[in-house]
Amino acid sequence: MSGIDHIPILKDKEVMPKPLDPKKFIKYFWIAYVVGITLVVLFFIGVTLGLFGAMPTFEELENPKSSLATEILSEDGKLLGKYYFENRTNTHFQELSPNVINALIATEDARFYEHSGIDFRAIFRVVWGMATGTSKGGGSTITQQLAKNLFPRKPNRTFGETVMIKFKEWITAIKLERNYSKEEILAMYLNTVDFGSQSFGIKSAAKTYFNKEPDQLNPEEAAVLIGILKAPTYFSPVRNPARAIERRNTVLYQMQRYEYLSKSEYDSLRAVPLNMENYRIQDHTTGLATYFREYLRGYLTDWCNSHKKEDGTEYSLYRDGLRVHTTINYKMQEYAEKAVAAYLGKELQPAFYAHWKGIPTAPFVFEKADERKEINNLLLSAMRRTDRYASMKTAGFKEPDIINEFKTKTRMKVFTWRGERDTIMTPFDSIRYYKFFLQCGLMSMDPHSGFVKAYVGGIDYLHFQYDHVKFAKRQVGSTFKPFLYTLAMQEGESPCARYPNVQPVIELDNGTVWAPENTSEERRGEQVTLKWALANSNNWISGQLIRKYSPAAVVAMAHKMGVTSSIPAVYSIALGSCDISLYEMVGAMSVFANKGVFTEPIFITRIEDKDGNLIQDFKPKKQEAISEETAFLMLQLMQGVVNYGTGIRLKYKYGFDNPVAGKTGTTQNQSDGWFMGITPDLVSGVWVGCEDRSAHFRTLALGQGANTALPVWALYMQQVYADPNLHIVKYKDFEHPKKGLEVEFDCGDEENAIASPGTNKEVKKKKKKTVIDTDEF
C-alpha cells in the first residue's frame, strides 16, 4: 500500500487544530502560577488571621499555659511531693542533661537546628513514602509537635478539619521559632510531653522512673525516656520492659548514627540491662512526709480559695505550679520516719502480738463482763464507717446483706511492717486485723523559730490515714503535769520546795471526793521535793498542787503556753485526763526551751508562683507565756525526769549523757504512751497507742510511755546528733537567765529517786462506795 493511502481525508466543515502559540502558553502558565501562589498566600494569611478558626494570640505564644503541679519543698530545697491534675513541673534548658537533648534531636528531628519550624525535606519524604508505599517516618518537627502540645487538637475531627489544623500548626510552629530560641523550644517541648506513669514533662519523668533530676540522666536513661514518647504505655519500661529495651536501643542507634555516641559507646550501652529499681509513681500516698503533705493539702486549698491572682481569679493548687517552701528538714523527716519504723515495726508491735498471743479477746479490754459482745459492737461500728459500707448502703443493700458481704472471704492486700501482703480474709476480719496495730505520732520543732522540722502522723498513710499529730486528740497523762508545776514555779515555789508524800482527799461539789493514788509506797509520808515528785510522776504531790492553785488556774496556764483545746477545770487534769493534740503539746513544751516565749509551730515559710515570684511569706506568732526564770526552773525540774526519774532509760539504755529535759506520760489502762523531749535547739514529742482506746497493753511495764514512746524519741535523736550537717549540737546546755537565779537545784534527794514502773490510780468515793479507775503514770 502506497503512502498516499494514509493521508487523512477531511470531512466537510472539519478544521485542523492550530498549534498552541508558545508565547500564550508561557503567559497562561505564569498567570496560573501567580494566581496559585496568591491563593496560597491569601489562604495562609486567612489562617493566620483566624478566618478559618481561632489561632493562638501573641500573648498566648509569649505565655503558653499548661497545667503545672504545685511543688512542696523541704527547707533544704528538696522535693517532698506535689499536688496536680497533671504531674508536671517546668525545667529550663540549662537544667537538662545533654544526653536528653541529643537523644531527642537524633530521634525526633535530626535537622532541628537547620529549619525554621517546618522541615520541607521531611514533608517531601512523607509525601513520597505515601505515594510509593515506602513510608519512613513522620514529617513533624519538634516545633510542630510543641505547637500541637501547647494548643491541643479537638477530638472527633473530620478529615477537612484535620488538614486545616495541620496548616495552623505549621503557622504556629513558625511563630514559635520567631518568639523563642532553639534551646527554649527544646525545653518547652520536654516540659509538655506525656511520659506515662502520671508523669508530664521531663522533670517529673526523671524523678518517677529514675529518682533523678533531668541534668543527672545518663545516655541509656535518656534513651529510655525519649523512647517512651512514641507510645507511653506500649513502650513503658515497667509494663513492657522488652519493648522498652528495644525502643531504647533504637534511640541509642539514632544517637550513634548522628554522631552523638561513638560506635563503641553504642555497642556498650545497648547491652546494659534495664534498671528500674528507683521507679516510683509520685502520688500522695507514697514517699516522704505523707501525713504532712495531706495536712498541707487542706491548708493550701483554703489558702488558694482566699487569695487571688492579678487577673482576679483564685489560685489553683493543682494547675498554677505554686512553689511551697516548708520548714520540714528532709534528713530529719527521714530520721523520724526511720525511728518510728525501726521501733514499732521491729520491737514494739512484735511485743504487742506476743503479749496478746492465745487470748480470744485480743487486743481489746472491756470492763464489762461480756467482752465478746463489746468487741463485736466495736467492729460493727467500725464497719459502718468504711467506704465499702457507704457504697453498699447507697446502692440499696439492707444491713443484714451488708454484714453478710463483710463476712465473706475475698482476696485483698493488707499492711504488714514487711510490706504489703496478698491474702484472703473477710473484710470484717480485716477491720479487727488493723485494730491490732499500734499507731504513732511524732513532731519535732525548733523552739526559737517555730519551724516544724519533722512530722510523722502515723505508721503508713496508704492504710492508716488518720493524722496523729494535728488532728488526733488523746489523753496526755503525766505530760500535762509540767503545766501544773509551771504554775507553782511562777507563783514562787522552788524545785526543792518540800511537800508531805501523802494522799490528798478533795471534796467535790457533787458529794464525792477526789483522791489520786500512787501504787508505789516509796517514801510514803516523807517530805519530798517538787523536783523528785515530778521526776517520779508522783500523783499525790500533783493533787496537792492543784488543790493549792485551783484547776482553773492550771487551765489558764496551759492555754497561755499555746494549748488551744478545751480543758475542763476539774481536779483530774492534774493527772492528764484531758485530750490534747501532739501538735499543741510540742508547741507548749517549746516555751521552756525558748526562755518562756511561746512561738507558734509553723509549716510554711513562703509561697511563690511558678516563676519564683514571692506571693506570701509566713512568720510565726509569738507571745510571752511565762518568765525566763520560770522556764529555766522547769527545765531543771524536767531534767530530773531523765537523770533519775521515769525517763532514766535514755541514759542507761540509749546513752544520752547530754542535757535533756523530758516528761513521760501514760494514760488510763495504758491506752496512750507519751514522751516529750526538750533539748536547747529541738523540742520533740512522741505519742503511741492503738486506734481504739480499748486496745492496749495489759501491763504498765509494757504500756507505759517510757517503753512505748520514749524509745522512738531516742532513736530519732541519735540520728539527728550523728548528722553534722544538721548543726544540732549535742553537748550544749540550756542558757541561764540573764538576771541570774539564786535558787537551789541540788535538792539532795536524788539518791532516793525511784524509776520503777507502777500504776497510779485515781479513787472516787461517794458515801461507802469506792470506784477505782486506772489512770496514768
Side-chain angles (χ1 to χ4, degrees), residues 461-604:
Y461 182 77
L462 180 61
H463 295 90
F464 308 96
Q465 298 188 357
Y466 193 58
D467 184 345
H468 294 283
V469 170
K470 198 72 169 63
F471 299 114
K473 294 186 178 184
R474 301 287 288 247
Q475 283 190 353
V476 292
S478 278
T479 54
F480 190 83
K481 288 178 180 174
F483 298 119
L484 174 59
Y485 279 72
T486 298
L487 177 62
M489 295 300 106
Q490 189 88 326
E491 292 296 321
E493 302 266 14
S494 76
C496 295
R498 294 182 180 272
Y499 281 74
N501 189 21
V502 296
Q503 183 183 45
V505 178
I506 303 172
E507 292 186 7
L508 304 179
D509 294 338
N510 61 2
T512 63
V513 295
W514 181 77
E517 184 176 307
N518 290 321
T519 297
S520 173
E521 293 292 316
E522 187 75 21
R523 304 192 68 183
R524 183 185 181 99
E526 295 183 24
Q527 293 287 325
V528 297
T529 64
L530 292 182
K531 187 176 182 180
W532 180 91
L534 182 63
N536 292 280
S537 205
N538 184 289
N539 281 352
W540 288 352
I541 306 304
S542 295
Q544 293 178 50
L545 288 176
I546 199 168
R547 177 175 59 184
K548 181 176 181 179
Y549 294 108
S550 85
V554 178
V555 171
M557 176 58 71
H559 286 159
K560 197 173 182 181
M561 292 177 65
V563 175
T564 58
S565 293
S566 176
I567 303 173
V570 295
Y571 287 102
S572 62
I573 63 172
L575 309 184
S577 60
C578 49
D579 290 356
I580 302 175
S581 72
L582 179 61
Y583 168 82
E584 294 172 87
M585 289 298 295
V586 174
M589 294 298 111
S590 72
V591 170
F592 301 131
N594 198 31
K595 300 182 178 181
V597 176
F598 169 69
T599 302
E600 179 188 30
I602 65 170
F603 305 107
I604 301 174

Side-chain angles (χ1 to χ4, degrees), residues 43-44 47 162-172:
F43 171 76
F44 277 102
V47 172
T162 300
V163 173
M164 185 59 67
I165 288 172
K166 199 67 178 177
F167 283 125
K168 290 180 181 180
E169 289 173 358
W170 284 10
I171 295 170
T172 302

Side-chain angles (χ1 to χ4, degrees), residues 72 80-83 283-286 288-301 317-318 455 457 461-462 464-467 470-471:
I72 306 302
L80 291 173
K82 300 179 181 182
Y83 309 122
D283 63 30
H284 70 285
T285 64
T286 59
L288 204 65
T290 47
Y291 290 90
F292 172 74
R293 287 188 276 131
E294 188 57 28
Y295 161 73
L296 218 55
R297 181 198 299 274
Y299 175 86
L300 290 171
T301 298
L317 183 61
Y318 304 98
Y455 184 118
Y461 182 77
L462 180 61
F464 308 96
Q465 298 188 357
Y466 193 58
D467 184 345
K470 198 72 169 63
F471 299 114

Side-chain angles (χ1 to χ4, degrees), residues 12 86 217 233 382 420 460 517 584 591 619 656 684 724 754:
D12 292 343
E86 292 181 352
L217 294 169
T233 301
E420 278 192 329
D460 182 84
E517 184 176 307
E584 294 172 87
V591 170
K619 304 293 183 184
F656 283 83
S684 308
I754 57 170

Side-chain angles (χ1 to χ4, degrees), residues 52 80 202 304 324 364 411 449 498 500 537 590-591 658 732:
F52 301 98
L80 291 173
I202 187 65
C304 288
V324 181
F364 304 104
R411 184 174 296 279
S449 66
R498 294 182 180 272
S537 205
S590 72
V591 170
N658 56 301
K732 178 181 179 181

Side-chain angles (χ1 to χ4, degrees), residues 200-212:
F200 294 81
I202 187 65
K203 189 168 186 175
S204 295
K207 187 72 174 177
T208 297
Y209 288 100
F210 302 111
N211 195 27
K212 289 186 175 183

